[in-house]
Amino acid sequence: MNLLVKNIGTIVGIDESGHTCVAGKEMNSIATLEEAWLLTEGTRIKDYGPMSQLPTSVECETIDAQGGWLFPSFCDSHTHIVYAGSREQEFLDKIKGLSYEEIAAHGGGILNSADRLHNTSEEELYKQAMERIDEIIAMGTGLVEIKSGYGLTLESELKILRVIRRIKETAPLEVRSTFLGAHAVGRAFKGRQSEYVEHVCNEMIPAVAAENLADFVDIFCDRGFFTPEETAKIIERGATYGLRAKIHANELAVSGGVEVGVKHRALSVDHLESMGDEQIEALKDSNTIPTMLPGCAFFLGIGYPPARKMIDAGLPVALASDYNPGTAPSGNMRFVTSLASIKMKMTPAEALNAATLNSACAMGESKDYGSITRGKIANFYITKPIPSLAFMPYAHQTPIIKNIILKGKVQ
Ligand code: NIG
Ligand code: FE
């Protein structure tokens, strides 16, 4: 079925350049068209133009946007949506003053989620994850990456990845899947980290690849978790199975994660709360997208990544939610863009580019997603009339989304 949206106040995020991402100064420009229409054909965007040239002879379903704005759906390139239950007990511990690392060192954190996940059926995990998927769809997300990493045994990692596959098959949004066996050392390998890394490389990755369950591989390369050497080993093993790397780097410390990611041509290095000038330098002339997850810094009360320095250095930065039970229990990408503006001084245009085209690029998907472009997948949402682009991050809790279209279908 084709769809015509008419009387659009402004289409935002038009891209006719074919660029796979926007970098540096370009991040501050976002093309728009006022008083416009947009037409889809099947799952893709067919055309758009000014209302003065509204097509008259097309047979299709019509939406009257009544002056509302049309935005490309958010692309969320980093989430851990498949988890069991929640961890608000740790939230209380944090209020009392314990740090994220202290909680992890006492056996909480990721291991706590892994324990729960072991005792949760695949069916129940799917049910819980789909509630979160419905939640993020309603907030404007149309393409999402989901990681494993709360299994930490072969069986449980496969369980999560199968749930992700089922989400891929059943949810209306587009999903990419990442194997994150090296999220923490599984309890059975306590005190034997290098053996666990061997297990990840020699048992887990081949098993994941045999069922074609992952698009990417990830490693938590940080102080107290995995070293750059271990990270390199896992990236290399993943590469032999065609899995590109997306690395958790520099959340807790300058960990070497950025450098190892760049060296091994990772698709993205994510977090970056701890960044020096050398790490920014290392990212220049690389194809690795620095991805920031300000919902994590907000929740943990830690410093934010130096977004301005990275953009001013000419880099293309992406934004993602990190939706997970321990450091960012929210997948609200619009709030992520607000945090980017409020806490990291990104302009609304920079934040929107980072949360759409550049985040799609951090999943290798910007040819099909992340902007309003003829031929791209028809993933967009329509708002109530709003006064300007800046209203989006400014009025961050005002519900404004009226219609959601994913792959050309009204949701
Ligand atoms: O991206 N930092 C590592 N992993 C997650 C948090 C995992 C957890 O605490 O459950 C993150 O922040
Ligand atoms: Fe994460």
Side-chain angles (χ1 to χ4, degrees), residues 12-13 30 71-72 74 337 347-357 381 389:
V12 184
I30 197 146
F71 288 80
F74 289 116
T337 65
T347 66
E350 287 171 340
L352 194 68
N353 273 320
T356 54
L357 189 66
Y381 57 88
L389 176 60

Side-chain angles (χ1 to χ4, degrees), residues 78 80 248 271 322:
H78 182 138
H80 310 246
H248 276 75
H271 269 288
D322 199 16

Side-chain angles (χ1 to χ4, degrees), residues 78-80 100 145 147 150 180 183 218 220 247-248 251 270-271 293 296 321-324 327-328:
H78 182 138
T79 81
H80 310 246
Y100 180 73
E145 180 258 19
K147 300 172 195 299
Y150 290 122
L180 173 58
H183 198 190
D218 192 348
F220 189 6
I247 311 293
H248 276 75
E251 174 186 352
D270 303 21
H271 269 288
L293 317 165
C296 169
S321 73
D322 199 16
Y323 197 170
N324 78 74
T327 69

Side-chain angles (χ1 to χ4, degrees), residues 20-28 77 268-269 272 275 280 283 288-293 305-320 340 344 346-347 349-362:
T20 51
C21 67
V22 277
K25 284 196 180 69
E26 287 170 28
M27 285 199 66
N28 196 28
S77 62
S268 68
V269 285
L272 315 181
M275 284 286 272
I280 293 178
L283 282 159
T288 301
I289 305 281
T291 300
M292 300 175 292
L293 317 165
R308 275 266 54 89
K309 271 192 168 183
M310 289 194 267
I311 297 171
D312 295 345
L315 296 176
V317 305
L319 287 166
M344 303 194 290
M346 288 172 68
T347 66
E350 287 171 340
L352 194 68
N353 273 320
T356 54
L357 189 66
N358 285 2
S359 190
C361 189

